Amino acid sequence: MIHSTIRRRGFLKGTGAFVATMALPLDRAFAQAAAELPSIPIPPPIGPAERLQRLAKARALMARNGIGAIIVEPGASLDYFTGVQWWRSERLTAAVIPAVGDPIIVTPFFERPSVAESLSIPAEIRTWNEDEEPLKLVAGFLRDKKITRIGFEETDRYFILDRLRQQLPAIRVVSANPVVRGCRMIKSPAELALMQTANEIMLASLRYAGERTREGMTQADIDAMIAAAHKKYGSAYDGGLVLIGESSAYPHGSHKPQVVRRGKVVLMDCTSAIHGYQADITRTFVFGADPTAEQRKLWDQVHRGQQIAIAAAKPGVPAGSVDDAVRRTYESWGFGPGYRLPGLPHRTGHGIGMEVHEPVYLVHGETTPLAPGMCFSDEPGLYIPGKFGVRIEDCWHMTAGGPKFFTQPPPSIDRPFG
């Protein structure tokens, strides 16, 4: 447990070994040990100039697709275009980004100063009071601009559409995907630099925790070590997925309590964020004993699956073909077929950027062509229900010359952190 107490053990500075120490809560003990980690430089956040470039690209895409404006609620896309970092509630805060002219931000009157703090583009903030309809502000802006075709970002909530149509019955609503995805799927050099750092910190944190895992630890204990390393590095961490023993056979684990034992598989799948840009890495190892022949074979097969995926990922090919290439090989080894178990029941990878999971996905049937600047995870795990599973995950980005890993996959089950 995170707040249980270590009475007979502590971290030996710089070695990862344990020595006798005073009683300390685990979170404090882990934090003290993590303080010795070397620093990793963090790039600056995305600035106003790049957001203005994004708006220019969005306007060009709106013009190309016949969209007069897009509506974006709080979340990654609002931050992406405006810098506004806010949350969703029953009180509407949203950006209306037109194809011509500056955006507006609609928000409650009493939230204006707080919303303005993170706004980093030229935009008028229009406010509404608690007894007023905020969609009247949106409708008024659209009328003034003579906009009759508006794009909705795919995560916008239904009540916005419903109440906007009450104000503008003739408004034509279409998907904003050609605009929002068209911008966010292709990462800039500054975005890639932030993701590179996030991945380096994530891998270092997993290595730190993996090398200090001890018999009898719980999932929470291991997660606390990962969190301590993230705090030292200065990255955001919301908690990871730590699976031990049989629970590793289920991609998102089990509610049953697990503790580390010799010879058991330990799987750590965690994310990290730097200035809003994500990393997602998984490492699987066998604790305290030589892997069995079955454990080693499955690990080697997943490792091979990662390499098959990266070899299949070429500029211009459909994203789904990467998943197909891995699945063909897995089926030739007797797994599946398709998404059946034992085998690979989930997609080979997902898009990643300001969200851990974002379009497009490396999944059968996805026809979007791979292009430079796109970023993905590579995680073709294999799972044997009732026994154990293996997942190795690293993220990569497409270049004009082909895919490039942010972090290198581990070489073997005997060196699970490289």
Side-chain angles (χ1 to χ4, degrees):
M1 306 298 175
I2 291 177
H3 294 292
S4 63
T5 300
I6 300 178
R7 294 195 176 275
R8 62 188 187 282
R9 299 185 176 200
F11 292 116
L12 180 61
K13 203 181 296 184
T15 69
F18 285 106
V19 293
T21 189
M22 297 171 58
L24 281 176
L26 279 182
D27 50 0
R28 287 181 57 198
F30 296 152
Q32 286 186 10
E36 300 301 318
L37 288 168
S39 63
I40 295 177
I42 294 178
I46 300 298
E50 179 150 332
R51 285 199 171 83
L52 289 176
Q53 292 173 4
R54 295 170 178 178
L55 288 175
K57 183 176 181 180
R59 292 184 184 110
L61 290 171
M62 280 188 261
R64 187 183 308 167
N65 289 276
I67 298 173
I70 61 172
I71 293 183
V72 181
E73 276 205 86
S77 292
L78 185 65
D79 187 357
Y80 180 88
F81 287 114
T82 72
V84 172
Q85 297 172 359
W86 205 245
W87 62 89
R88 298 186 183 196
S89 75
E90 75 283 3
R91 295 183 173 102
L92 178 69
T93 290
V96 185
I97 303 173
V100 178
D102 290 337
I104 64 167
I105 309 295
V106 174
T107 196
F109 170 77
F110 62 89
E111 303 287 21
R112 188 189 194 287
S114 302
V115 169
E117 283 182 349
S118 54
L119 179 62
S120 59
I121 59 165
E124 179 187 355
I125 299 178
R126 298 189 181 184
T127 63
W128 54 278
N129 289 310
E130 292 278 65
D131 61 346
E132 296 175 326
E133 170 55 72
L135 272 303
K136 285 186 178 179
L137 297 177
V138 176
F141 179 75
L142 297 176
R143 282 195 199 95
D144 291 344
K145 290 279 188 179
K146 297 181 172 54
I147 293 170
T148 59
R149 195 167 188 260
I150 186 166
F152 266 57
E153 205 267 348
E154 60 188 334
T155 68
D156 287 350
R157 290 170 292 175
Y158 176 75
F159 82 85
I160 301 174
L161 171 61
D162 183 45
R163 285 157 57 182
L164 180 61
R165 280 179 167 158
Q166 292 175 28
Q167 302 298 320
L168 294 173
I171 194 77
R172 185 177 177 192
V173 177
V174 298
S175 171
N177 281 354
V179 179
V180 177
R181 288 192 185 185
C183 291
R184 286 184 53 192
M185 281 195 308
I186 307 301
K187 274 64 176 181
S188 71
E191 291 177 289
L192 293 174
L194 291 168
M195 293 179 69
Q196 181 66 52
T197 301
N199 277 274
E200 290 172 5
I201 288 174
M202 187 67 259
L203 182 56
S205 299
L206 291 179
R207 180 185 296 113
Y208 169 82
E211 292 175 349
R212 288 159 177 79
T213 297
R214 296 294 182 264
E215 187 160 10
M217 281 187 169
T218 67
Q219 298 107 307
D221 295 336
I222 296 171
D223 190 62
M225 290 192 287
I226 299 169
H230 275 80
K231 185 174 182 180
K232 166 61 171 65
Y233 285 125
S235 58
Y237 182 66
D238 293 328
L241 188 66
V242 179
L243 311 180
I244 300 170
E246 182 190 343
S247 67
S248 65
Y250 313 111
H252 287 158
S254 164
H255 291 295
K256 297 177 182 177
Q258 304 285 337
V259 296
V260 175
R261 296 284 183 250
R262 286 177 58 83
K264 294 292 186 182
V265 164
V266 178
L267 186 157
M268 303 184 296
D269 182 350
C270 303
T271 64
S272 175
I274 295 293
H275 297 315
Y277 283 85
Q278 305 285 333
D280 190 3
I281 299 179
T282 306
R283 291 294 183 262
T284 303
F285 63 98
V286 175
F287 175 76
D290 289 335
T292 66
E294 186 178 29
Q295 289 169 336
R296 185 178 296 277
K297 181 179 180 181
L298 200 70
W299 197 100
D300 288 345
Q301 288 172 319
V302 173
H303 185 266
R304 177 62 183 145
Q306 262 201 319
Q307 300 306 313
I308 291 168
I310 209 71
K314 301 180 186 302
V317 306
S321 66
V322 177
D323 184 83
D324 294 339
V326 172
R327 218 162 288 279
R328 280 194 300 270
T329 300
Y330 281 7
E331 288 176 2
S332 75
W333 292 340
F335 295 106
Y339 291 84
R340 297 179 185 174
L341 290 168
L344 172 57
H346 57 73
R347 60 202 172 207
T348 293
H350 53 79
I352 187 169
M354 293 187 74
E355 294 172 287
V356 177
H357 292 184
E358 62 182 40
V360 293
Y361 300 98
L362 304 180
V363 65
H364 175 71
E366 176 56 67
T367 60
T368 302
L370 300 181
M374 289 183 174
C375 299
F376 299 93
S377 70
D378 182 359
E379 49 178 316
L382 285 170
Y383 311 90
I384 305 175
K387 299 181 78 172
F388 68 97
V390 172
R391 185 160 65 250
I392 309 167
E393 177 184 13
D394 294 272
C395 294
W396 57 276
H397 63 96
M398 184 61 76
T399 75
K404 182 179 179 181
F405 276 119
F406 290 109
T407 52
Q408 287 302 310
S412 72
I413 195 170
D414 303 303
R415 295 176 56 202
F417 300 98

